[in-house]
Amino acid sequence: MVPEFWIPEDLKAILLKDGESYADMTEKSERFLGVLKKLRNVDRLELSQSHYLQFLKLGLYLEEFQQNLDLRKFNLYGKKIERVAPDSKEFRIRIKYLDKDHPLHKSCNLIEIFNSKDVTRKKFVLRAKEVKNDQVIAVAYSEFCDGHNPENSYNIRFRTNNYSFRCSHYALSLINSHKMTSYLFPIRKESYVVVDPEADGQRWCNKAISENPEQKQAVFNIIRKSAFPAPYILYGPPGTGKTATLVEAICQIWHNTGDTILICAPSNAAADVIAKRLLKYIPATSVDRIYSRSRDSSLIDADLQTCSNCSNGRIVKVNNRVVSSKRIVVSTLCTCTRLLFLDLSHSYSYVFIDEAGQATEPESLIAFNVISRHGDSECQIVISGDPKQLGPSVRSKYAAPILGQSLLERLMKLEPYVKHNNNDYDSRYITKLLRNYRSHPAIIRVSNELYYENELVACSDQRPFVGQDFDTEFPVIFHGVHGFEQKENNSTSSYNIAEAKQVMIYVNQLIGEKIGEKTIGSEDIGIVTPFALQSKHLQKTLKNENLEDVSVGTVEVFQGQEKEVIIMSAVRTKIFTHDDREHIGFLSNPRRFNVALTRARAALVVVGNPTALQTDDNWRYFLKFCRDNGACRGEQFELREKVEEKRSFQDDEGLQERSEQSSDLFEETFSILKIDDGIIRRKKNKYLLNGMYYAERECSIL
């Protein structure tokens, strides 16, 4: 069982004061405060071996606290709670405006209940079972069931689902006892033998891979474990066939060896993508797609149910015998924690972590621990992703310098993975895919120049696009709209009605147009926006016009996806100032900019306020690119002069180049943090701590 890891009270006290000192601080609180003050001014923390695990653990505590703090605005007061049926342990909580942004749809699964008239403030913990329409069905323990009175009024607060934090903490505690330095801080080997992949004579499942020199080199080096004991990195810019390369390598291993393979990804969506691709070449009897028991079985693709732990419409417990019988196991990073508690009859020879740039480093370490428990003596880790696209989602300003950098991004700064004097990577350790098979050359040009050293080669089938307002040779448009950015009550997100109207004009114009011989349908169009509220408004409008096949989502939702036509609504009209420098908030994030502009295959339309957007150098670069190619529509605008037309890849916030500081420069000792401080549940809903059993509600205040 995965232990619980409670946020230290000395740290919690400081965070509740927003990182400020207060009277009667404990010595530990003062030391935590010293660290937090330094983290405020650091963009990226360069983790060293001496403080590696301590800082990752601190980052997890900081992020969990922030997520719970963010849920406070959803607290409810004086609510009645009704039983679903007589003697049932299930209760119904009615909540007005339970839209998709509510945390119950995302990270929350624990609900804390207080009787509003009880002066003792006794707390009960319920678990959310189902969320639908305007109600939540929650399961309660007997303590609440026995004393429930339908006439009572309750105060309700939501808590984040901390299972991913528990798995990450547990991974750190295991890493602490395993010798993993060669994996986490690898050193480049100087002497090696170069083997020509052309001479190998291997057979290809996907023959197109054999015609791409970078993909071919990556597959060959993965199979022969050229990086061992260091991880092998597959650097895959947008549309370069990263997943196809991984699938080919896995298929080659399956066909030509008796080795077993573990494949992990940060999300179920990413894990499902690679599992479905594998089933084209490998029988389902060799694949085990493991899902968490909390996963809604109705969301599982029919093609994957036959090779998963989904049986008769429900997720069953991971079975030791079944997992041991499969040569390929696919799961999310958190769910692969389950493997640590199994007694498998085989050892994994390869562990793949796909979309590693989107996972926090502690999450990635979960898969590393599987190697220590179930890996053979020469298990090769393969990490794939793109550090120039969106990274881990981190809400805490204090945790961002620690957890905002993925394992993939950190490793790519180490000596084995950087370019050398000949401006090439060492292919034993890393391969950068260069051939873009997704987009028209004009669509990827800006990202190619800004982020990928102009190395990407457009190899897509350039079908002629004929559309109103489009140049057939240049299928990119920027449409200027001077609308207004607005908010709704109790929402931090924004929407822009004028931009939404212009987006709908383009949707209706584009449906029925031609891309080569293909007629564009509503299912071929995707609408991307950085703001969830704009996405919500557009979804409602599309539904009213019977255009629900048009995909709408935030940039985060669209990462990894592609459409024939992408229409982006930037929404932002406000300009902010920080340290006397103007910026446009989180739209200044170059990774968000990069992802948004690289989803389209045949045509790209960006609708936005040119005055606000050109405040950011990357956006100004795009506006100038459109202006120079006669691709500006809508309201006219002038580009302000800039000394430098092109900027290099900036920090995540895009506000300023903040420092990258080594964790060795933090003088505070980390005896205040214990790596292995988990609390094990020994009885039902009871935790063992210092030789005594405590209820869950008691543990939360220890």
Side-chain angles (χ1 to χ4, degrees), residues 405-416:
Q405 178 176 240
S406 66
L407 172 66
L408 171 73
E409 186 178 356
R410 182 180 69 80
L411 287 178
M412 287 186 65
K413 297 175 182 178
L414 299 185
E415 203 269 342

Side-chain angles (χ1 to χ4, degrees), residues 378-663:
E378 293 186 358
C379 181
Q380 176 67 66
I381 296 178
V382 180
I383 299 175
S384 64
D386 180 4
K388 306 300 185 184
Q389 297 189 55
L390 285 171
S393 176
V394 181
R395 302 188 64 86
S396 167
K397 62 184 178 183
Y398 296 115
I402 305 169
L403 300 181
Q405 178 176 240
S406 66
L407 172 66
L408 171 73
E409 186 178 356
R410 182 180 69 80
L411 287 178
M412 287 186 65
K413 297 175 182 178
L414 299 185
E415 203 269 342
Y417 305 102
V418 297
K419 282 189 172 182
H420 296 284
N421 295 334
N422 57 359
N423 201 36
D424 286 330
Y425 291 107
D426 186 337
S427 63
R428 295 174 300 161
Y429 295 95
I430 180 172
T431 296
K432 179 181 179 182
L433 302 179
L434 302 177
R435 285 155 176 76
N436 179 286
Y437 297 102
R438 174 186 295 164
S439 305
H440 187 282
I443 294 173
I444 63 167
R445 182 174 156 190
V446 168
S447 287
N448 193 13
E449 293 178 354
L450 287 176
Y451 310 136
Y452 300 110
E453 302 174 276
N454 212 21
E455 292 180 330
L456 301 187
V457 180
C459 299
S460 64
D461 179 15
Q462 296 180 31
R463 298 160 295 168
F465 175 67
V466 180
Q468 186 175 344
D469 291 335
F470 281 89
D471 182 333
T472 56
E473 300 299 321
F474 193 84
V476 178
I477 282 179
F478 174 76
H479 192 108
V481 174
H482 287 94
F484 296 95
E485 180 181 342
Q486 304 176 68
K487 295 184 182 294
E488 288 183 350
N489 291 336
N490 300 320
S491 176
T492 58
S493 190
S494 301
Y495 67 100
N496 187 315
I497 294 175
E499 286 191 19
K501 288 180 179 178
Q502 187 59 54
V503 167
M504 292 305 302
I505 290 172
Y506 275 109
V507 169
N508 287 292
Q509 283 181 355
L510 288 165
I511 292 175
E513 300 284 12
K514 292 279 191 179
I515 302 173
E517 299 299 318
K518 178 181 175 61
T519 300
I520 299 175
S522 56
E523 69 280 0
D524 298 312
I525 300 174
I527 302 175
V528 182
T529 176
F531 294 91
L533 199 53
Q534 183 78 336
S535 174
K536 177 183 173 182
H537 277 268
L538 285 165
Q539 287 171 349
K540 184 177 180 180
T541 303
L542 289 163
K543 183 177 181 180
N544 292 338
E545 296 191 20
N546 296 317
L547 292 171
E548 294 175 90
D549 287 340
V550 175
S551 297
V552 186
T554 61
V555 181
E556 286 79 0
V557 169
F558 265 90
Q559 177 152 305
Q561 299 186 42
E562 58 185 56
K563 287 286 183 179
E564 293 285 3
V565 179
I566 287 291
I567 306 172
M568 180 185 180
S569 171
V571 178
R572 177 67 81 211
T573 63
K574 297 178 181 178
I575 300 175
F576 308 96
T577 302
H578 179 81
D579 290 343
D580 297 324
R581 179 176 175 184
E582 292 183 333
H583 66 90
I584 50 176
F586 82 134
L587 255 72
S588 299
N589 184 332
R591 292 170 173 82
R592 182 169 283 106
F593 172 87
N594 185 27
V595 171
L597 265 59
T598 54
R599 304 302 97 195
R601 290 195 289 260
L604 171 66
V605 179
V606 176
V607 178
N609 183 309
T611 304
L613 292 178
Q614 67 175 295
T615 302
D616 176 74
D617 288 354
N618 290 301
W619 276 104
R620 185 182 183 281
Y621 195 80
F622 174 75
L623 294 178
K624 184 177 184 300
F625 172 65
C626 291
R627 188 197 65 181
D628 292 348
N629 287 277
C632 292
R633 308 287 186 271
E635 298 182 28
Q636 299 299 307
F637 63 92
E638 293 292 330
L639 280 178
R640 293 184 293 184
E641 291 299 321
K642 286 280 185 180
V643 175
E644 185 180 12
E645 291 294 348
K646 174 183 170 182
R647 293 188 66 190
S648 60
F649 198 76
Q650 305 171 40
D651 62 278
D652 276 348
E653 296 304 320
L655 307 184
Q656 57 183 342
E657 296 292 344
R658 298 171 66 194
S659 65
E660 178 166 320
Q661 190 166 351
S662 171
S663 60

Side-chain angles (χ1 to χ4, degrees), residues 10 42 71 95 162 173 219 295 297 400 407 454 475 622 685 698:
D10 299 286
V42 178
L71 292 178
I95 303 176
N162 72 343
S173 68
V219 171
R295 181 71 171 168
S297 61
L407 172 66
N454 212 21
F622 174 75
N685 307 320
E698 295 171 318

